[in-house]
Structure formats: structure tokens, C-alpha cells
């Protein structure tokens, strides 16, 4: 029919009982009268709502009162207000239930409280995001802003920001808890645009409305031009006789309606958004209020900008029917027309309408652990800075002395704390330790005393620690001194008269700067050493790669490959982005083609601008899925390499989570080895070596090209994907972990990965190193060489490593290499590949080569094969069949030749 289902209908079967009647229930209501004297509670007679003073929710600002003349016109809860002449940002912190839906209303009545008659303008923040600008344009008119919002923390911050256009203030804050299944959006929160009791001459709120929504009436507002074309209807409905739905519009609101003045003309409701990109959600409430005769019907279609939006609406007598949008509506003009159908004898009616504007709040709140820690620090030292609201967000209002990182998906984290010259006294507080991502800590020029605590060395990312010019005493913990000697920490402890390096305490004043000096010179020397080492390694590699002509050819082909991917990369950089769930539906053509399945969910084929993509959709039931999703997005937005699958974008809308990757036309390595693909796709020995080199380069990049290095943790042949040119790329980073420092570090972690590929040493120690990936890679190499299953059941030597080992003893390479290659490979390259593989799967991690060595060795293996092939194509083929003897019992060190 071509009608898009962009609306839904809410009406309750028949049962009045199905809706809990909560008319008198005020639980879930928080009503704050800002600026009212502390300890004062009062009830507003008209509504019965109880208001409380704001004293428990804020520590700053001053309490003021509107001019007495205005009091008669307003209820008591806006007689006072809190004004903020000091500080850029002042915040209320209100405890709520996280994950629940709230209607939040902020009210502003200037009322010439300061006698200046200067109408201010300032910003209003909700949590970490800017909600809107508050623009007071009439001293004696209250401005109320409403938003429907789901807080992610146990509290919300509501902040006023001084933007230099007058002193910010606020009169009242009201929070009303709503059911979670109403006013749902695809994304974002809903800010009230219009809420209108059509046909009424009066406004309503609690306790007519159980949610205390404000219903206004048709006054001088000009949001539509159609008022004069309407006729008002009023047939009072008793609240008890109205069958409600979950939106629960009040009976008194539903008692009035509008209908076209000209019975044969349509009823039109239209408005012109300020910005055509703005997105709106509309909720229309209907009920029949007239008793219709037998020969009468009322039925109409609703069109949106001329297109049929909802057909054959026929309001039922005293029963609420709500028709609402399920996705945002936008445009230069939004025009709803209600058109009588052919069979209808009566014109259309509508009783009430709500229009909301989508407000996106992209910035996440700062990580709760950091917020708690910095709040403790603030109170321990009585920090007098203007520290209010979210510490890191919005970025423009970052707390003075802090610096944060803003990860794409995760919460912001505090990485710098600078409390220099802040009049701090007392000891260094352990709450600092809870700022776990801290990189710089500056406590210099204060009056801190006591010892330098050992715990500071537990801050594993700390790079700069400045404790200069305090009254610290005792010896500097050796752990810190060691770190600074290693060069991983820049430590400044000068001008602390009673401080000394451990073991050398004799409190001579002369010594006070020695530590810093030693530290500085040592780290200087270290940097030089490292630089020399790097240069040397580079040079060595270069000369090694130049050693054979073939190597260069190989490099060239690599360069051309790199160029081709570079093109892709630039595309990706532009396109890497967040997709909405509806985009995902479009891209995958409603999940039309499945190309893979896993524990996390399903992978679908999709198209973006005619280019194929793979869309991995997380199944909501996948328990670990969410964490793996986050891990993968976090990692992939950072890493970029031709041998790692690229992320094009992702979707993260509530439970709808999807990752969009470049499409790998030739599936995974395992499929090709197992012969799942047709014979024409059969992988030659040369192909296999190339794939091995590619995969090794991908892994090498994770280990050496990433800071901090990354352990893949799930290297296996099904995670090595092949594109249309059979270029291999590592995929599936869901289990990957970044490790904090250099390659030697061990990470204690829960075991994860795939049996058979999992490092046996890691089984024993339950610790994971980069060498675990090397082991897994070795297993993949063995698969590539032998085309045998990794685990063979019902065999004594079940693991591929053991099976190959026993064959090596017989010294017959042809018994080991995949028989389907029919001997079409160079024996030397086969032996060399086998050596590398066996070295990788050494029991002892220390005997396994590192990834960069493996990559170089594999490239050489490929070069040998290519050379042999080139000779093979000569007119006089000459085979160099030379068995290389391998001693199985001693360690395999292919590099030590
Ligand atoms: C509001 O205040 C009145 C009078 O003190 C009291 O009877 C009523 O229980 C209060 N309501 C709530 C929900 O606190
Ligand atoms: C005012 O109300 C709050 C809760 O709304 C309550 O905690 C406080 O004790 C009340 N104060 C007085 C003086 O009644
Ligand atoms: C909000 O909750 C916190 C933590 O539960 C508590 O310490 C604080 O007193 C509460 N604030 C108010 C105003 O109730
Ligand atoms: C402010 O609002 C009041 C009440 O609505 C109105 O009488 C007055 O004219 C308005 N003042 C201005 C300057 O618009
Ligand atoms: C009523 O509406 C019909 C259809 O739009 C139109 O033809 C007619 O002229 C209108 N009558 C009046 C009095 O405006
Ligand atoms: C409906 O029936 C009533 C009598 O019951 C009659 O007066 C009226 O004209 C009829 N209306 C229509 C539209 O047929
Ligand atoms: C109302 O919608 C129905 C169903 O699409 C259609 O058949 C009918 O023509 C429409 N009526 C009007 C007046 O647009
Ligand atoms: C905060 O960190 C960012 C990124 O590290 C840096 O560019 C910026 O200069 C820092 N800002 C301050 C105030 O230190
Ligand atoms: C650090 O955080 C933990 C909870 O993660 C908390 O139990 C502890 O009290 C905090 N320590 C300090 C000193 O704030």
C-alpha cells in the first residue's frame, strides 16, 4: 500500500482495570522550590503537590525573592529562586533511580528579583550535556522547559552556566517518574515542543494528570494558523467512565476536542520547524465524546504532508486511543491533515496533541569511579575551586585542573589532576589511587605533610608526578624511585626539606634536589639508549630485507597492495561512523542474507553505496556479547592496518548493536583449507605462505604497532579472513586486550579463546602474554601446512602439534605437508615453514620467537618458494631437493641459523 508504518496506536483492550489508577500517588515525584529557606516544606493548595527547599541539593548560589506584586499571579513554589552571581557552572545534584524514565521540568521566573530589570540569558545543562539556552524575555512570565529523560547514573546534575549574558538563576525543578514503555524513541530524549488540550479554555496539570504534564489551551499562541478554522467541542467525561491507555491523558483534557468549522473541509494541524533537520515525535489522543446515532459514523484518514499516515481512525466512545510516531518526523513544513472518509457522516475530531523535539545527548557522563574519587578528593582537601557537575563534560566546562580522555564509546576518564598551589594540607589521600587512569599528578606548592605513600606506584599509567615544595618527609618509596630510574615516571620531589631517597636519609638540606637530578640524568641516558636500539634494529632489518633481490620484488607488490588499501582507508576514515538501527536495516535489506553465525549473533551481507559490507549483529541474549562488542569497537576505531579487518561503522542503539566491517569476499582461511570452497579456489602453497605472511604482519602490528600492545587472544584459522584478492586479514577482536606496558608484561585474566589454539602454558599459569598469540599463530601455521584438524579425537596424540612432531621424527616432509598439494611446493620452503610453526608452538613461551621475527622468516620462506617457482618456469627446470635435518628434541630456533 506504500504507507510507511511510522506510527503506532495505543488503546487498551477493554479493561479499565488494566491501568493502575494512581491519581493520588505522588511517589516518584520530586518537587524542589529553588531558593526557598532551608528546611521548609509546603503544599500548594491547588494541586496538593508538596515542595521542598533546594538546600539539600546544592551548596552554591544565593536565595532571592521575586517582587511582591507578582506573587498573586504565581504559586508559592516560584516565589523564591536561586541566583548564581559566582562561578561559571553551578549544579544541582538530585538522587533518582537510574534507568527509569523521568519527566524533568525546570522553571524560570525572573520577577525582577534583583531590581535591575535586566533579562538574563544563560545555558542549562542536563548531566554531561547542554540541554538548551534559557532566554528570559519577560520578567513576569514563567518559562518552563520539559524533557523526557532516562538518567544513566543514580543522580542527575542540572546546571546553570554563565555565558556572560546576565546572572543565571532557577525557580523550580520538578521530576516526575514515568512508565518506561511510553514516549519511546529510536534515540535521544524528548523535549516538549507543544502539549495542547485542544478545544479547551483552561490549562491542567496534577492532580488531573497523573504524570503532572502541563496541558495548555488554545490561547494567543501562533504555532498553527488554523485555529479560526476549528470549532470547539466540549462534552464533559467523568474520569471513572473513561477507558484509559498507558499514556493516560486526563479525562478533563479528553472532554474537549476540535473539529473543522467547515464540515466538508479537512482539519489541519501544521507547523514549520526552525530547522528542517529537527526531528519530532507526535502523540495524538482521540476519544469520541458525542453519542452517535445509529446512522452516524465518524471516520477519517490522517495524512502527513499529503501522504497517508494512518487510515480509518474512528474514535471510540469514552475510550482513549493514542496514535503516535515510532520514528522522528522532520521537514520544512510538517502538515497533518485529518480527512473524512467516504463512509463517514461526521467530520474528524482530535482531543489532544503532544509534540516533542528529539534532543540528542551524545556526551556520556564521566566514569563513576573517577567521579567518586574526585568528589572525595574535593571534600578531603576542601578544594574551593568551582568544581560542580560532571568533572569532564561538557568538554568546554571541564573542571579546572583536570584533563580527561573522551573515548568513542566509553565514559570520559580523568587523566590529569593538577592541584598545584591550592593550599592543600594534610597527607596525600589514598582516594587519588581510585583515579586509575591518571597520567599526570601535580600536587606541588602546597603544605602537604607526612610520607610519600607507596600506593602512588600502583597508578600504572602515571607518567608525571610532581610533589615539589611541600612539607613531605621520610624516604621516597623505592618503587617510585625505580620507576623513575626506568624512565617510566618523571618524578619531582624537590623543596621538601625532610624528604630523602630510601636508604640515604640523613636530612641534609643540600640533598634536597639530588633525587630529581639523578632521576633526570638517568632517564636521559635511558632515552638515548632506547633511541640507539631502535635505530640499530631498523638498520638491521633494512639490510636484511635488501639481502635478496626477491625480497624487493615482494616489497614492491606489498607497496602496491598498500596503495590499494590506502584508498580504502581514506574512504573508511571519512565513513567510519555511527549508524542508526534503521540504517542497519536498510544496509542489510532487512537482514536478508546471512553470511555467518557465532556465539555473539549473526553476520549479514549488506551494501553501503553499492559496496558490500559485513554486518555483525549482536544478539541481545548474548551474555558476553556486550562487553565483546565494546572491546571490539574500542579497539577497531584505534587500530588500522592492512592485515586487520577494518571497521566501517557501528550501531549502538539500546539493545540494537551492530558492527559494520569491510566485506571479505573469500570467507575464512579454515573454509579454504577444509575444501569447503570449490576446487577453483584451492590454495596453492604459495597462496598459503602469502596468507601466513599477511596474518603475521597483522599480529605483529597489534604487538608492536599499537600502544599499548594488544593481545588478540583468539587467533585461529576461522578468524583469518580473505578478501577478493586473497589478502588475509585478522578479525574478531572481541576478546582482545590491550596490555599496559611493554612486551614482557603478563596480564592476569580470565581464560578465553578456542581449545586447541590456547597456549598450554597459559592454561597452567592462567596468565596471558603476547607469546600466547604466537602459540595460536603456530597452530594456524601447522594447519596451513598440513591441512589437518587441530584436535583429533580418539587419538593418543590428539593435538596437531603432537601429531606433526611424531611425523617430523620420520624426516619425511611429504608425509606432513597437505597431500592435496600433490608435492607442488619447494621442499626447503616447506621445511622452513614447519620450523617456524614448531618454534611458535614450543611448550616454553621463552622459546617461541617474537612476531616480528616470525614475519621476517615467513617472508623469507615465501621468497624461497617464489625463487624455486621462477626456476621451475625456466626452460631447464632444476629441482633443489635437499632434506633439511631437524632435531625435534632440542628447541627450534629457525632464527639462529
Ligand atoms: C504532601 O503533604 C501532605 C500534608 O503534609 C501530606 O498529607 C501528604 O502525605 C504529602 N504527600 C506526599 C506524597 O508526601
Ligand atoms: C521536608 O521534606 C523532606 C522530603 O521531601 C523531608 O526529608 C524533610 O524531613 C521535610 N522537612 C520538614 C521540616 O518537614
Ligand atoms: C543522595 O544519595 C547519596 C548516596 O546514596 C547520599 O549520600 C546523599 O545524601 C543523597 N542526597 C540527598 C539529597 O538525598
Ligand atoms: C510580559 O507579560 C505580561 C503578562 O503576560 C504582559 O502583560 C506584558 O505586556 C509583557 N511584557 C512585555 C514587555 O512583553
Ligand atoms: C468548505 O470546504 C469545502 C471543501 O474544502 C469548500 O469547497 C467550501 O467552499 C468550503 N465552504 C466554506 C463556506 O468555506
Ligand atoms: C439519521 O436518522 C435521524 C432519525 O433517526 C434523521 O433525522 C437524520 O436525518 C438521519 N441522518 C442521516 C445523515 O441520515
Ligand atoms: C482513506 O484511506 C483508505 C485506505 O487507504 C482509502 O481507501 C480511502 O480512499 C481514503 N479516504 C480518503 C478520503 O482519503
Ligand atoms: C588535555 O589533554 C589533551 C590531549 O592529551 C591535550 O591536547 C590538552 O592540551 C590537555 N589540556 C590541558 C589543559 O592540559
Ligand atoms: C576506591 O574505590 C573503592 C570501590 O571501587 C572504594 O571501596 C574505596 O573506598 C575507594 N577508596 C577511596 C580511598 O576512595
Amino acid at each position: 500500500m506504500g504507507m510507511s508504518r511510522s506510527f503506532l496506536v495505543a488503546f487498551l483492550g477493554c479493561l479499565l482495570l488494566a491501568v493502575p489508577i494512581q491519581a493520588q500517588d505522588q511517589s516518584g515525584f520530586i518537587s524542589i522550590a529553588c531558593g526557598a529557606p532551608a528546611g521548609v516544606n509546603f503544599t500548594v493548595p491547588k494541586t496538593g503537590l508538596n515542595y521542598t527547599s533546594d538546600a539539600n541539593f546544592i551548596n552554591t548560589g544565593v536565595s532571592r525573592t521575586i517582587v511582591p506584586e507578582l506573587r498573586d499571579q504565581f504559586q508559592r513554589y516560584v516565589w523564591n529562586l536561586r541566583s548564581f552571581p559566582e562561578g561559571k557552572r553551578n549544579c544541582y545534584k538530585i538522587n533518582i533511580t537510574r534507568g527509569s524514565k523521568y519527566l524533568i521540568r525546570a522553571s524560570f521566573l525572573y520577577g525582577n528579583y534583583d531590581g535591575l530589570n535586566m533579562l538574563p540569558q544563560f545555558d542549562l545543562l542536563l548531566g554531561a550535556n547542554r540541554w538548551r539556552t534559557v532566554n528570559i524575555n519577560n520578567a513576569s512570565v514563567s518559562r518552563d522547559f520539559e524533557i523526557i529523560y532516562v538518567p544513566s547514573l543514580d543522580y542527575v546534575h542540572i546546571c546553570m552556566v554563565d555565558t556572560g549574558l546576565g546572572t543565571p538563576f532557577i525557580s523550580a525543578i520538578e521530576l516526575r517518574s514515568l512508565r518506561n514503555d511510553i514516549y519511546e524513541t529510536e534515540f535521544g530524549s524528548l523535549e516538549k515542543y507543544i502539549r495542547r488540550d485542544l478545544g479547551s479554555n483552561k490549562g491542567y496539570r496534577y492532580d488531573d494528570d497523573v504524570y503532572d504534564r502541563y496541558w495548555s489551551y488554545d490561547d494567543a499562541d501562533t504555532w498553527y494558523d488554523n485555529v479560526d478554522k476549528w470549532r470547539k467541542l466540549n462534552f464533559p467525561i467523568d474520569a471513572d467512565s473513561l477507558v484509559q491507555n498507558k499514556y493516560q491523558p486526563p479525562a478533563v483534557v479528553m472532554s474537549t476536542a476540535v473539529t473543522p468549522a467547515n464540515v466538508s473541509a479537512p482539519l489541519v494541524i501544521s507547523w514549520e520547524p526552525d530547522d528542517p533537520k529537527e526531528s519530532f515525535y507526535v502523540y495524538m489522543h482521540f476519544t469520541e465524546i458525542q453519542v452517535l446515532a445509529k446512522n452516524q459514523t465518524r471516520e477519517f484518514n490522517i495524512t502527513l504532508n499529503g501522504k497517508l499516515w494512518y487510515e480509518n481512525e474512528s474514535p471510540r466512545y469514552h475510550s482513549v486511543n493514542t496514535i503516535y510516531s515510532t520514528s522522528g518526523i522532520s521537514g520544512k513544513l510538517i502538515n497533518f491533515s485529518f480527512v473524512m472518509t467516504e463512509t463517514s457522516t461526521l467530520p474528524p475530531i482530535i482531543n489532544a496533541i503532544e509534540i516533542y523535539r528529539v534532543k540528542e545527548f551524545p556526551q556520556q557522563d564521566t566514569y563513576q569511579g573517577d567521579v567518586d574519587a574526585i568528589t572525595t578528593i574535593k571534600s578531603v582537601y576542601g578544594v574551593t575551586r568551582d568544581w560542580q557537575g560532571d568533572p569532564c563534560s561538557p568538554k568546554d566546562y571541564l573542571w579546572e585542573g583536570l584533563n580527561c580522555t573522551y573515548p568513542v564509546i566509553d565514559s570520559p576518564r580523568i587523566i590529569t589532576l593538577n592541584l598545584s598551589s591550592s593550599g592543600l594540607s594534610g597527607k596525600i589521600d589514598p582516594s587519588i589511587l581510585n583515579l586509575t587512569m591518571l597520567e599526570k599528578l601535580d600536587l606541588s606548592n602546597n603544605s602537604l605533610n607526612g610520607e610519600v605513600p607507596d600506593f602512588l606506584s600502583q597508578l600504572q599509567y602515571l607518567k608525571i608526578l610532581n610533589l615539589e615544595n611541600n612539607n613531605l618527609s621520610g624516604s621516597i618509596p623505592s618503587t617510585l624511585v625505580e620507576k623513575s630510574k626506568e624512565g617510566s615516571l618523571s618524578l619531582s620531589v624537590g623543596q621538601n626539606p625532610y624528604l630523602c631517597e630510601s636508604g640515604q636519609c640523613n636530612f641534609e638540606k643540600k640533598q634536597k634536589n639530588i633525587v630529581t637530578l639523578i632521576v633526570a640524568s638517568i632517564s636521559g641516558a635511558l632515552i638515548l639508549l632506547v633511541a640507539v636500539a631502535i635505530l640499530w634494529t631498523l638498520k638491521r632489518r633494512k639490510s636484511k630485507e635488501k639481502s635478496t633481490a626477491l625480497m624487493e620484488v615482494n616489497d614492491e607488490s606489498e607497496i602496491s597492495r598498500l596503495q590499494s588499501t590506502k584508498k580504502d582507508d581514506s574512504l573508511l576514515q571519512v565513513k567510519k561512523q555511527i549508524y542508526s538501527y534503521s540504517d542497519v536495516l536498510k544496509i542489510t535489506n532487512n537482514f536478508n542474507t546471512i553470511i555467518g553465525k557465532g556465539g555473539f549473533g549473526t553476520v549479514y551481507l549488506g551494501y553501503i553505496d553499492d559496496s558490500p559490507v559485513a554486518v555483525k549483529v549482536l544478539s541481545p541474549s548474548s551474555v558476553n556479547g556486550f562487553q565483546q562488542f565494546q572491546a571490539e569497537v574500542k579497539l577497531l576505531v584505534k587500530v588500522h592496518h592492512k592485515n586487520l579487518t577494518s571497521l566501517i561503522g557501528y550501531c549502538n542503539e539500546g539493545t540494537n548493536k551492530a558492527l559494520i566491517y569491510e566485506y571479505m569476499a573469500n570467507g575464512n582461511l579454515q573454509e579454504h583449507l577444509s575444501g569447503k570452497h570449490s576446487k577453483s579456489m584451492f590454495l596453492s602453497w604459495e597462496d598459503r605462505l602469502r596468507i601466513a605472511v599477511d596474518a603475521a604482519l597483522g599480529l605483529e602490528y597489534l604487538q608492536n604497532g599499537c600502544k599499548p600492545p594488544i593481545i588478540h587472544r583468539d587467533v585461529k584459522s576461522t578468524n583469518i579472513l580473505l578478501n577478493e584478492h586473497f589478502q588475509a586479514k585478522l578479525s574478531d577482536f572481541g576478546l582482545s586486550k590491550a596490555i599496559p606496558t611493554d612486551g614482557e608484561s603478563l596480564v592476569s585474566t580470565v581464560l578465553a579463546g578456542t581449545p586447541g589454539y590456547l597456549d598450554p602454558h597459559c592454561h597452567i599459569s592462567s596468565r596471558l602474554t603476547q607469546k600466547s598469540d604466537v602459540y595460536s599463530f603456530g597452530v594456524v601455521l601447522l594447519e596451513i601446512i598440513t591441512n589437518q584438524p587441530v584436535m583429533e579425537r580418539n587419538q593418543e596424540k590428539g593435538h596437531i602439534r603432537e601429531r606433526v612432531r611424531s611425523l617430523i621424527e620420520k624426516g619425511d616432509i611429504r608425509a606432513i605437508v597437505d597431500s592435496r598439494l600433490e608435492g607442488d611446493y619447494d621442499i626447503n620452503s616447506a621445511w622452513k615453514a614447519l620450523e617456524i610453526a614448531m618454534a611458535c608452538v614450543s611448550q616454553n613461551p621463552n622459546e617461541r620467537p617474537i612476531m616480528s621475527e616470525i614475519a621476517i622468516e615467513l617472508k623469507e620462506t615465501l621468497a624461497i618458494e617464489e625463487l624455486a617457482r621462477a626456476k621451475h618456469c625456466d626452460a631447464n627446470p632444476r629441482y633443489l631437493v635437499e632434506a633439511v635435518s631437524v632435531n625435534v628434541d632440542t628447541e627450534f630456533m629457525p632464527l639462529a641459523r
Side-chain angles (χ1 to χ4, degrees):
M1 261 201 316
M3 181 176 67
S4 68
R5 280 199 64 90
S6 58
F7 57 83
L8 269 182
V9 195
F11 53 105
L12 255 201
C14 316
L15 284 180
L16 187 65
L17 288 178
V19 173
I21 297 301
Q22 33 176 254
Q24 295 309 317
D25 184 6
Q26 244 180 282
S27 62
F29 279 26
I30 299 168
S31 309
I32 301 169
C34 303
V40 163
N41 289 346
F42 59 88
T43 304
V44 170
K46 214 166 152 189
T47 58
L49 289 170
N50 298 334
Y51 287 80
T52 176
S53 149
D54 62 351
N56 289 335
F57 304 97
I58 193 161
N59 301 317
T60 54
V62 288
S63 170
R64 307 298 295 266
T65 315
I66 59 168
V67 291
E69 309 85 274
L70 277 176
R71 286 198 177 183
D72 300 346
Q73 296 170 35
F74 291 95
Q75 289 177 358
R76 185 172 163 190
Y77 71 96
V78 291
W79 288 359
N80 291 101
L81 55 92
R82 185 167 293 272
S83 142
F84 303 102
E86 281 175 32
K88 184 160 177 62
R89 169 165 60 163
N90 287 274
C91 296
Y92 282 83
K93 182 180 179 183
I94 303 166
N95 290 348
I96 43 82
T97 310
R98 81 168 77 180
S100 285
K101 193 166 276 183
Y102 285 89
L103 176 78
I104 301 176
R105 182 163 46 229
S107 302
F108 304 85
L109 174 62
Y110 170 61
N112 197 19
Y113 73 86
D114 49 7
L116 299 173
N117 245 324
M118 300 259 287
L119 304 176
Q121 179 180 321
F122 49 90
D123 276 2
L124 179 61
L125 308 185
L126 183 56
N129 292 275
R130 188 172 160 281
W131 173 357
R132 62 170 302 132
T133 296
V134 176
N135 188 354
I136 307 295
N137 43 28
N138 186 325
S140 50
V141 171
S142 168
R143 299 217 68 182
D144 309 305
F145 303 108
E146 270 184 22
I147 195 155
I148 294 172
Y149 181 71
V150 180
S152 60
L153 301 174
D154 291 329
Y155 53 82
V156 283
H157 278 127
I158 294 176
C159 311
M160 271 54 64
V161 175
D162 191 337
T163 50
L165 298 168
T167 306
F169 73 93
I170 187 164
S171 304
I173 299 172
E174 295 166 302
L175 288 96
R176 312 295 182 223
S177 109
L178 302 177
R179 325 168 35 130
N180 273 17
D181 61 350
I182 57 176
Y183 302 113
E184 289 178 309
T185 61
E186 285 181 308
F187 53 87
S189 300
L190 292 177
E191 185 182 41
K192 187 183 82 174
Y193 186 66
I194 293 286
R195 187 183 299 114
R196 192 63 50 117
D197 175 8
L198 295 164
S200 174
N201 297 317
K202 199 168 171 284
Y204 298 96
R205 60 177 297 186
Y206 192 81
D207 60 346
D208 291 308
D209 189 322
V210 292
Y211 296 127
D212 192 25
R213 289 164 292 197
Y214 280 12
W215 295 90
S216 60
Y217 54 98
D218 306 329
D219 50 17
D221 261 4
T222 54
W223 66 279
Y224 45 72
D225 313 315
N226 312 295
V227 181
D228 55 336
K229 302 196 176 91
W230 294 353
R231 195 160 60 85
K232 293 181 178 181
L233 304 173
N234 185 352
F235 295 86
I237 307 172
D238 191 37
D240 292 340
S241 68
L242 182 65
V243 180
Q244 273 294 2
N245 67 12
K246 61 186 178 183
Y247 285 91
Q248 290 184 269
V252 66
V253 167
M254 297 306 286
S255 299
T256 57
V258 293
T259 186
N262 175 353
V263 186
S264 47
L267 180 94
V268 175
I269 293 180
S270 67
W271 69 97
E272 284 176 27
D274 299 335
D275 175 357
K277 285 193 220 84
E278 277 181 336
S279 185
F280 293 89
Y281 277 71
V282 179
Y283 299 81
M284 300 175 180
H285 306 286
F286 300 94
T287 188
E288 182 55 75
I289 50 180
Q290 287 177 281
V291 183
L292 303 193
K294 276 241 165 67
N295 59 0
Q296 285 181 313
T297 54
R298 191 193 306 278
E299 193 184 65
F300 47 92
N301 291 347
I302 306 171
T303 63
L304 169 57
N305 291 343
K307 285 197 185 123
L308 189 60
W309 189 66
Y310 189 82
E311 61 179 321
N312 299 339
E313 163 63 2
S314 183
R316 289 187 292 173
Y317 185 70
H318 286 192
S319 173
V320 178
N321 189 19
T322 299
I323 298 175
Y324 56 97
S325 22
T326 53
S327 57
I329 298 167
S330 51
K332 269 195 185 133
L333 170 77
I334 296 174
N335 178 317
F336 282 102
S337 289
F338 301 73
V339 190
M340 227 165 113
T341 62
E342 292 81 352
T343 51
S344 182
T345 63
L346 295 170
I349 58 166
I350 177 167
N351 309 62
I353 189 164
E354 295 174 84
I355 303 169
Y356 294 88
R357 183 160 42 192
V358 176
K359 202 92 201 167
E360 278 188 77
F361 288 145
Q363 185 58 61
Q364 292 198 32
D365 298 293
T366 301
Y367 176 70
Q368 184 75 59
D370 284 1
V371 177
D372 294 344
I374 197 76
T375 309
T376 310
I377 292 164
K378 182 183 170 192
S379 72
V380 165
Y381 292 115
V383 176
T384 52
R385 290 188 192 179
D386 189 15
W387 278 9
Q388 294 198 43
D390 191 277
C392 297
S393 306
K395 262 187 213 175
D396 298 346
Y397 308 130
L398 187 64
W399 286 6
E400 190 199 336
L402 299 191
N403 204 355
C404 303
T405 52
Y406 300 86
V408 176
I409 283 243
D410 260 353
S411 307
R413 301 294 306 262
I414 297 172
I415 55 166
T416 301
L417 175 58
N418 181 349
L419 283 172
S420 180
S421 310
S422 301
L424 312 188
S425 57
K427 300 198 171 12
I428 295 179
D429 197 77
S431 51
I432 289 173
L433 191 52
N434 277 9
L435 295 172
T436 51
M437 297 299 282
L438 210 56
E439 291 172 10
K440 286 188 207 170
L441 177 60
D442 189 345
L443 300 174
S444 61
N445 305 322
N446 286 300
S447 313
L448 294 169
N449 56 31
E451 301 202 341
V452 176
D454 194 31
F455 63 68
L456 288 175
S457 62
Q458 291 171 37
L459 287 166
Q460 51 178 325
Y461 300 105
L462 196 63
K463 290 194 207 104
I464 300 176
L465 176 58
N466 188 349
L467 302 173
E468 277 176 1
N469 195 15
N470 277 291
N471 289 322
L472 297 166
S473 56
S475 59
I476 306 165
S478 56
T479 43
L480 287 177
V481 175
E482 260 162 41
K483 276 193 171 192
S484 72
K485 281 182 180 164
E486 279 169 14
S488 63
L489 177 71
S490 151
L491 177 65
S492 312
V493 291
Q495 299 175 62
N496 281 288
Y498 308 109
L499 196 61
C500 57
E501 200 180 341
S502 50
Q504 303 177 0
C505 289
N506 53 8
F507 299 120
E508 264 187 38
K509 281 221 165 181
K510 272 184 201 164
Q511 270 199 332
K512 63 186 177 187
N513 274 326
I514 283 184
V515 173
T516 332
L517 269 175
I518 291 174
V519 165
S521 59
I522 286 180
S523 49
L526 211 98
I527 288 167
L528 198 72
L529 259 177
V530 170
V532 168
I534 291 170
L535 278 177
W536 184 77
T537 317
L538 281 176
K539 209 173 157 192
R540 181 170 161 266
R541 258 223 213 164
K542 221 173 184 176
S543 60
K544 194 155 193 177
E545 288 188 350
K546 279 219 174 116
S547 62
T548 66
L550 262 166
M551 227 36 234
E552 275 177 6
V553 172
N554 193 32
D555 279 351
E556 244 172 52
S557 67
E558 245 183 68
I559 287 162
S560 68
R561 267 199 248 162
L562 245 166
Q563 276 164 347
S564 73
T565 45
K566 225 177 205 155
K567 203 177 69 203
D568 293 344
D569 285 358
S570 64
L571 184 97
L572 288 176
Q573 236 123 55
V574 179
K575 291 231 171 135
K576 187 181 294 172
Q577 54 171 310
I578 304 171
Y579 287 85
S580 71
Y581 189 63
S582 58
D583 288 336
V584 171
L585 288 174
K586 252 177 254 155
I587 289 168
T588 60
N589 188 15
N590 291 316
F591 303 128
N592 198 28
T593 313
I594 295 180
I595 52 177
K597 263 201 169 122
F600 47 82
T602 310
V603 186
Y604 299 91
L605 176 64
Y607 289 91
I608 296 178
D609 303 338
D610 295 333
S611 313
V613 292
V615 183
K616 178 159 137 186
V617 178
L618 194 77
S619 72
S621 58
S622 163
V623 181
N624 300 320
F626 178 63
Q627 278 175 350
Q628 293 188 14
F629 169 83
Q630 282 216 325
E632 191 149 4
V633 172
K634 257 160 62 182
L635 207 139
L636 283 175
V637 295
K638 274 187 240 148
V639 304
H640 229 246
H641 187 269
K642 67 191 164 89
N643 298 117
L644 303 177
T645 46
S646 317
L647 187 70
I648 293 171
Y650 59 90
C651 161
N652 186 15
E653 265 180 34
T655 54
N656 295 321
K657 296 188 196 299
L659 294 164
I660 303 171
Y661 302 95
E662 61 177 319
Y663 180 62
M664 300 294 283
N666 276 314
N668 69 51
L669 173 61
Q670 158 97 71
E671 289 165 6
H672 286 276
L673 290 175
S674 67
K676 200 178 146 194
H677 284 269
S678 64
K679 180 90 181 160
S680 64
M681 303 248 240
F682 185 71
L683 292 176
S684 71
W685 178 243
E686 211 178 340
D687 292 337
R688 296 184 195 202
L689 289 177
R690 244 184 226 117
I691 290 168
V693 170
D694 281 342
L697 288 173
L699 262 183
E700 197 240 3
Y701 171 76
L702 289 181
Q703 298 197 346
N704 300 334
C706 295
K707 265 192 181 153
I710 288 159
I711 306 183
H712 185 287
R713 298 216 296 169
D714 204 12
V715 176
K716 54 181 175 182
S717 50
T718 48
N719 280 344
I720 294 172
L721 304 184
L722 304 171
N723 72 5
E724 67 275 27
H725 309 301
F726 282 90
Q727 185 184 10
K729 302 189 181 210
L730 268 178
S731 76
D732 214 331
F733 299 86
L735 293 177
S736 303
K737 276 221 155 62
I739 62 173
T741 51
D742 63 310
E744 300 306 310
S745 300
L746 302 168
V747 182
S748 290
T749 175
V750 186
L751 275 184
T754 306
Y757 295 90
L758 202 56
D759 178 1
H761 186 264
C762 158
H763 261 311
I764 298 161
S765 65
S766 89
R767 273 164 172 239
L768 200 58
T769 67
Q770 298 181 336
K771 292 292 179 74
S772 312
D773 277 353
V774 171
Y775 180 90
S776 311
F777 182 75
V779 175
V780 172
L781 272 184
L782 288 177
E783 278 182 282
I784 290 177
I785 297 165
T786 65
N787 187 26
Q788 294 293 316
V790 174
M791 300 295 271
E792 191 90 88
R793 258 160 244 209
N794 313 322
Q795 270 200 28
E796 196 192 334
K797 290 180 174 168
H799 193 272
I800 193 167
R801 183 179 65 145
E802 304 310 321
R803 280 179 278 136
V804 169
R805 196 183 285 271
S806 57
L807 287 173
I808 291 176
E809 279 162 12
K810 296 187 183 128
D812 184 1
I813 189 78
R814 274 163 303 183
I816 298 171
V817 180
D818 184 4
S819 61
R820 290 187 306 167
L821 288 169
E822 294 172 343
D824 190 10
Y825 49 86
D826 178 71
I827 299 272
N828 291 307
S829 80
W831 272 117
K832 191 167 163 70
L834 186 60
E835 268 186 86
I836 299 167
M838 291 309 284
C840 290
V841 297
S842 300
Q843 190 80 25
N844 181 349
N846 295 331
E847 288 165 12
R848 299 174 198 156
I850 60 171
M851 240 21 253
S852 50
E853 290 171 329
I854 295 167
I856 292 170
E857 292 293 321
L858 281 171
K859 278 188 191 171
E860 276 177 11
T861 313
L862 179 59
I864 293 171
E865 175 68 18
E866 281 169 338
L867 183 65
R869 244 157 231 285
K871 282 179 184 158
H872 178 79
C873 294
D874 274 0
N876 295 315
R878 220 163 20 92
Y879 288 94
L880 190 79
V881 184
E882 180 192 312
V884 178
S885 77
V886 181
N887 189 340
V888 190
D889 295 331
T890 57
E891 296 95 71
F892 284 83
M893 281 310 295
L895 312 159
R897 296 196 297 188

